[in-house]
């Protein structure tokens, strides 16, 4: 039985002269990562739903040298393992991911001398390195077996949105060249960065700045462990088992990062992502130029690549964009790159797919139950776009300090804390999908966003003034107690509203303390003489932190709005990661002894 009653057409109207079999509860246009996972999720949650996928791809698609979107973090990890029921499949066909790993090197120094941030061991909750070709072929087979109708090699020509309860229409040319029109209650654009519906409806919004990427795959295993000789015993021993290969390895520099991602097909993905303001795309927009750029900026990678066959090469200029509407109360949605794309740093692409698809599946269920509420669609739309827009702003404003080991590492720790305490629980516990949970959590976290903005501003002030007065060799971020606690407390499903409220209360206290600790470290690095004034204060206002001492009193730094607590625990956890290194300290220190 179909999930929804079939819309009744008027046989006298030629536009309605379609076969009634060509009427679906949901038509998904595009069968890439977003479309194929959505079709699977609809069938899992609503087995009776009639689902059509119209996809221009012919199957099987090539493995390895196919698409980017190969790395996942915790939100997408949960989505694949639990919400799509693919835990065993992912373990068999793809690779486990050993978190995010960063090297802050320099072209004239050996890789083992570069400060490193990363995990030593796999985490409790799996994340994955995906071979997109393998995944899309397998999802195709799974979806066919689940009863999804898939028109392959078919090109969507138009999506005609209908008002009210009228069915939408999707016109496409099938693989035999015949034009067909189907009707559907819900329609979803999952056709990627073409942004079909966004353009048709004039909803696309561009983002500030220009960010570019160039990438290729090499045949076989390009393993960062092989870049460092075995004689560097300590370097190899601190991440036991030669497992760095399984991380998304980032080689960081001013305005850029280079990724190394292992693929389940046994090959390796290599990409350069950069801010156009800081690195000219013209220096990496052909394979030859990209290799030459690597030889100048990341010579260890260039030397490694030279030993492998290169399988493809792709450039994406100005890849970032957003939207003013992605989920509509008029029963349509855009998911994946058809909606928005921020940046590949922190792999948010598949997170967004998880949030968007789960929202669509939820609304579809509410519609089937006769409980569809337009305000819910508006709330879900605001949630997904706010996620994307924050990620876009946060990442793009960080490119200018990507080459600063201390600032970037502290910034990464802060971002990870926010990700594990605020964004990830949203999917683990369906917070954004449930009006009551959402309202309860929002009430606890109203001050979070202003704090996040304040900390971001602090990093931006810090970048121009870093003395580089602290150094580190290796930070295993999972071993920082406050991050460990955040991970164990928040990456747990099945919580009640009361438990979520209690969690977010703890979170607000932790983020406040960490923000203050970051502030004290930044002051120490930029104007150490000022630190004593701050250490003497009983408690500070985290919402007034900044690196302009003239504004401290004015902004209320010494007039805290929360009861005094002891920040030394969290501060100590951060400070012990970074040794003071007065000899190496360089740069624009503000030597200000006028206390
Ligand atoms: C440089 C870069 C690196 C990235 N790295 C990551 C990462 O590490 N992790 C991550 O999560 N995300 C990453 N992303 C984002 C990632 O690419 C997306 O999350 C993901 O690929 C989006 O999937 P999609 O289904 O929206 O688009 P696609 O996978 O492109 O699917 C679109 C589908 O629509 C079909 N189609 C197009 N036009 C038509 C038509 N007219 N008719 C019918 N079908 C049509 C296509 O054939 C295709 O199957 C990265 C993006 C970039 C630019």
């Amino acid at each position: 039985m179909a999930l929804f009653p079939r819309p009744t057409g008027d046989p006298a109207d030629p536009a309605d002269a379609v076969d009634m079999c060509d009427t679906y509860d949901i038509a998904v246009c595009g069968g890439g990562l977003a479309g194929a996972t959505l079709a699977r999720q609809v069938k899992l949650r609503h087995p009776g739903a009639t689902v059509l996928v119209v996809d221009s791809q012919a199957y099987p698609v090539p493995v390895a040298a196919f698409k980017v979107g190969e790395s996942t973090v915790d939100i997408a990890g949960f989505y694949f393992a639990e919400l799509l029921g693919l835990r065993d499949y992912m373990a068999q066909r793809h690779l486990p991911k050993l978190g995010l790993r960063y090297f802050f090197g320099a072209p004239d120094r050996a890789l083992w001398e570069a400060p490193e941030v990363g995990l030593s061991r796999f985490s409790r909750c799996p994340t994955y390195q995906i071979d997109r070709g393998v995944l899309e072929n397998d999802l195709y087979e799974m979806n066919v077996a689940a009863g999804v109708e898939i028109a392959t090699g078919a090109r969507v020509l138009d999506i005609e949105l209908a008002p009210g309860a009228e069915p939408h229409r999707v016109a496409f040319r099938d693989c035999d060249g015949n034009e067909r029109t189907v009707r559907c209650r819900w329609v979803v654009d999952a056709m990627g960065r073409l942004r079909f519906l966004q353009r048709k409806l004039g909803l696309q919004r561009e983002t500030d700045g220009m960010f570019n990427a160039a990438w290729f795959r090499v045949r076989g295993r390009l393993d960062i462990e092989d870049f460092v000789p075995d004689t560097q015993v300590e370097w190899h021993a601190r991440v036991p088992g030669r497992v760095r290969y399984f991380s998304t390895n980032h080689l960081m520099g001013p305005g850029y990062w280079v990724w190394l991602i292992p693929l389940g097909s046994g090959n390796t993905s290599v990409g350069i992502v950069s801010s156009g303001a800081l690195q000219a795309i013209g220096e990496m927009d052909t394979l030859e130029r990209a290799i030459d750029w690597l030889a100048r900026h990341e010579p260890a990678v260039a030397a490694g690549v030279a030993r492998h066959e290169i399988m493809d090469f792709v450039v994406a200029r100005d890849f970032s964009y957003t939207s003013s509407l992605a989920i509509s109360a008029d029963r349509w949605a855009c998911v994946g790159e058809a909606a928005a794309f921020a940046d590949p740093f922190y792999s948010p692409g598949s997170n967004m797919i998880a949030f968007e698809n789960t929202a669509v599946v939820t609304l579809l269920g509410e519609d089937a139950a006769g409980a569809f509420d337009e305000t819910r669609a508006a709330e879900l739309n605001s949630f997904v776009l706010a996620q994307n827009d924050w990620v876009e702003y946060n990442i793009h404003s960080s490119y200018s300090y990507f080459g600063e080991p201390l600032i970037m590492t502290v910034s990464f720790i802060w971002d990870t804390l926010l990700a594990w305490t605020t964004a990830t629980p949203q999917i683990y516990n369906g917070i954004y999908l449930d009006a009551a949970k959402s309202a309860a959590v929002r009430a606890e976290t109203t001050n979070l966003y202003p704090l996040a903005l304040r900390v971001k501003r602090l990093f931006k002030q810090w970048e121009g003034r870093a003395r580089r007065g602290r150094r580190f060799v290796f930070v295993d971020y999972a071993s920082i107690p406050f991050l460990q606690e955040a991970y164990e407390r928040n990456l747990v499903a099945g919580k009640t509203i009361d438990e979520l409220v209690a969690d977010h209360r703890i979170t607000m206290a932790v983020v406040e303390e960490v923000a203050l600790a970051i502030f004290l470290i930044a002051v120490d690095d930029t104007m150490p003489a000022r630190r004593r004034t701050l250490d003497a204060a009983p408690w500070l206002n985290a919402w007034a932190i900044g690196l302009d001492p003239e504004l401290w009193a004015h902004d209320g730094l010494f007039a805290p709005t929360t009861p005094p607590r002891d920040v030394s625990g969290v501060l100590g956890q951060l400070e012990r990661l970074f040794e003071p290194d007065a000899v190496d300290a360089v740069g624009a220190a503000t030597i200000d002894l006028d206390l």
Side-chain angles (χ1 to χ4, degrees):
M1 193 179 70
L3 184 64
F4 301 104
R6 298 294 173 89
T8 47
D10 175 6
D13 178 353
D16 283 313
V18 290
D19 184 340
M20 284 309 287
C21 296
D22 284 347
T23 301
Y24 297 87
D25 293 325
I26 180 165
V28 181
C29 303
L33 185 64
T37 51
L38 175 61
R40 175 173 176 79
Q41 199 177 0
V42 170
K43 275 298 201 184
L44 283 174
R45 282 275 296 274
H46 311 300
T50 47
V51 184
L52 172 71
V53 175
V54 182
D55 189 19
S56 55
Q57 291 175 162
Y59 292 84
V61 297
V63 299
F66 183 47
K67 290 179 183 171
V68 278
E70 296 153 329
S71 195
T72 62
V73 289
D74 299 288
I75 291 169
F78 181 80
Y79 181 63
F80 282 107
E82 307 304 331
L83 299 185
L84 295 179
L86 294 174
R87 182 179 277 265
D88 293 343
Y89 162 80
M90 295 303 287
Q92 283 159 14
R93 298 281 281 167
H94 300 276
L95 296 176
K97 176 170 165 180
L98 185 64
L100 300 163
R101 183 173 306 282
Y102 303 89
F103 294 94
F104 298 92
D108 55 350
R109 286 168 68 184
L111 182 66
W112 59 88
E113 292 173 333
E116 177 184 0
V117 179
L119 298 181
S120 306
R121 294 187 171 70
F122 288 93
S123 308
R124 172 173 59 81
C125 305
T127 54
Y128 307 100
Q129 306 287 23
I130 293 170
D131 186 303
R132 285 290 298 275
V134 171
L135 181 63
E136 291 190 23
N137 287 333
D138 292 343
L139 280 172
Y140 171 76
E141 299 288 343
M142 289 183 227
N143 282 339
V144 169
V148 175
E149 282 185 44
I150 308 181
T152 61
R155 181 153 291 277
V156 170
L157 303 172
D158 196 15
I159 298 173
E160 202 185 309
L161 298 172
E166 291 293 301
H168 304 306
R169 285 185 165 74
V170 176
F172 63 95
R173 184 173 295 114
D174 70 16
C175 59
D176 298 321
N178 302 316
E179 283 194 20
R180 292 181 60 197
T181 300
V182 294
R183 297 185 298 183
C184 50
R185 180 152 176 85
W186 282 76
V187 65
V188 175
D189 179 2
M191 288 183 281
R193 51 184 46 238
L194 176 73
R195 290 188 281 168
F196 190 100
L197 265 186
Q198 294 283 312
R199 286 182 200 280
K200 179 172 169 142
L201 302 176
L203 298 170
Q204 73 272 37
R205 282 194 290 135
E206 302 313 320
T207 50
D208 289 342
M210 183 165 175
F211 295 83
N212 309 300
W215 66 90
F216 54 91
R217 281 73 168 200
V218 298
R219 198 171 298 288
R221 179 173 176 138
L222 177 63
D223 189 343
I224 202 155
E225 298 274 355
D226 297 335
F227 297 0
V228 174
D230 290 348
T231 48
Q232 294 300 323
V233 176
E234 266 182 44
W235 189 90
H236 284 287
R238 71 188 185 218
V239 182
R242 293 185 76 94
V243 287
R244 285 182 177 90
Y245 176 66
F246 294 99
S247 301
T248 293
N249 285 291
H250 301 64
L251 296 112
M252 307 291 289
Y256 76 83
W257 58 288
V258 171
W259 82 62
L260 297 178
I261 299 177
L263 305 178
S265 54
N267 304 302
T268 312
S269 175
V270 182
I272 308 167
V273 190
S274 57
S275 154
L278 300 167
Q279 298 287 338
I281 181 65
E283 291 186 16
M284 56 187 88
D285 60 352
T286 64
L287 178 58
E288 203 178 29
R289 285 199 275 265
I291 298 289
D292 183 57
W293 185 95
L294 283 173
R296 282 182 283 119
H297 293 81
E298 297 295 343
V301 177
V305 166
R307 292 192 286 274
H308 290 259
E309 177 197 341
I310 294 178
M311 302 170 73
D312 64 342
F313 179 77
V314 186
V315 175
R317 288 183 170 78
D318 201 8
F319 54 61
S320 179
Y321 50 82
T322 183
S323 151
S324 51
L325 184 62
I327 298 176
S328 165
D330 290 328
R331 297 170 286 105
W332 60 263
C334 302
V335 298
E337 289 197 336
F341 179 67
D343 195 285
F345 198 71
Y346 294 154
S347 305
S350 43
N351 290 351
M352 289 302 295
I353 290 173
F355 282 133
E356 291 154 352
N357 283 359
T358 309
V360 170
V361 169
T362 303
L363 291 174
L364 192 66
E366 290 173 3
D367 192 11
F372 182 69
D373 171 1
E374 292 188 0
T375 56
R376 297 274 302 119
E379 280 166 14
L380 293 176
N381 177 66
S382 301
F383 174 84
V384 296
L385 291 181
Q387 287 289 322
N388 182 77
D389 292 353
W390 167 255
V391 167
E392 188 274 321
Y393 163 71
N394 187 36
I395 294 176
H396 286 168
S397 54
S398 306
Y399 269 76
S400 49
Y401 55 76
F402 272 2
E404 291 285 347
L406 176 63
I407 303 177
M408 187 54 214
T409 301
V410 175
S411 170
F412 166 69
I413 291 169
W414 170 253
D415 288 341
T416 304
L417 177 66
L418 290 190
W420 284 346
T421 53
T422 62
T424 313
Q426 292 281 345
I427 198 89
Y428 265 70
N429 283 288
I431 297 170
Y432 73 110
L433 303 166
D434 179 307
K437 282 184 188 171
S438 201
V441 165
R442 258 203 316 271
E444 294 301 323
T445 53
T446 45
N447 289 332
L448 182 68
Y449 185 59
L451 184 63
L453 284 177
R454 198 82 195 186
V455 174
K456 182 82 239 184
R457 205 185 68 152
L458 179 89
F459 289 130
K460 296 300 289 174
Q461 293 173 329
W462 191 357
E463 75 182 21
R465 305 166 60 177
R467 288 169 62 243
R468 305 187 182 99
R470 286 174 180 268
R471 59 186 293 278
F472 64 94
V473 174
F474 176 54
V475 169
D476 178 344
Y477 57 94
S479 70
I480 303 169
F482 67 77
L483 270 189
Q484 212 173 50
E485 187 279 333
Y487 185 91
E488 294 306 334
R489 176 166 49 84
N490 288 286
L491 275 70
V492 175
K495 293 199 174 183
T496 63
I497 292 189
D498 288 347
E499 288 168 332
L500 291 169
V501 165
D503 271 349
H504 284 79
R505 244 171 232 171
I506 298 171
T507 288
M508 284 309 295
V510 174
V511 295
E512 181 185 9
E513 287 172 25
V514 174
L516 283 175
I518 289 172
F519 170 55
L520 294 174
I521 291 172
V523 169
D524 202 39
D525 191 49
T526 53
M527 41 188 168
R530 293 279 188 179
R531 171 73 184 265
R532 264 173 285 147
T533 327
L534 301 172
D535 284 341
W539 188 237
L540 296 167
N541 179 357
W543 284 263
I545 58 177
L547 293 183
D548 184 351
E550 302 299 316
L551 292 177
W552 285 351
H554 173 270
D555 288 357
L557 181 67
F558 304 107
T561 53
T562 55
R565 300 195 300 278
D566 182 5
V567 78
S568 64
V570 159
L571 179 62
Q573 290 172 30
L574 279 177
E575 282 191 318
R576 80 173 63 100
L577 303 173
F578 312 110
E579 295 165 27
D581 183 11
V583 179
D584 275 352
V586 291
T590 305
I591 308 296
D592 185 350
L593 295 174
D594 180 21
L595 296 173

